[in-house]
Amino acid sequence: MGKPQGNKAANLMALRDAGFYVPAFLVFSADDKLSQVHAQVSSFFDSSTKLAIRSSSALEDGTDQSFAGAFHTEINVKAETFDAAWAKVVASLDTSK
């Protein structure tokens, strides 16, 4: 779906592509429709899998310093709480506040 927006996602992909073990992950844009995200997550992960939803924003990657973790992260997300967790992470990207 979405192109990696920050170094976190890009580095995970590079490690995986180099043959290192990296837990399964998907990358989405905050602009992707929740229904599209659901469809891909449901086809990729078993419904009993607990997920982490976190940002990988270019806004976290400065040339001189990193702001990793500046946005909200949700861990141990179950299928039934996915929508609310996704909404919290996406809302934390709103820099107008």
Side-chain angles (χ1 to χ4, degrees), residues 7-19:
N7 287 333
K8 192 181 306 158
N11 288 332
L12 284 172
M13 288 178 189
L15 286 168
R16 180 194 60 201
D17 294 347

Side-chain angles (χ1 to χ4, degrees), residues 13-73:
M13 288 178 189
L15 286 168
R16 180 194 60 201
D17 294 347
F20 290 91
Y21 171 73
V22 177
F25 67 94
L26 296 170
V27 177
F28 299 99
S29 167
D31 295 328
D32 289 334
K33 293 183 180 188
L34 185 57
S35 60
Q36 294 172 319
V37 173
H38 259 288
Q40 252 195 298
V41 169
S42 297
S43 68
F44 197 78
F45 295 103
D46 181 271
S47 64
S48 64
T49 302
K50 291 182 181 176
L51 304 172
I53 303 174
R54 45 182 321 173
S55 67
S56 180
S57 171
L59 296 172
E60 295 174 306
D61 303 323
T63 55
D64 296 325
Q65 55 189 333
S66 172
F67 297 97
F71 302 112
H72 188 72
T73 294

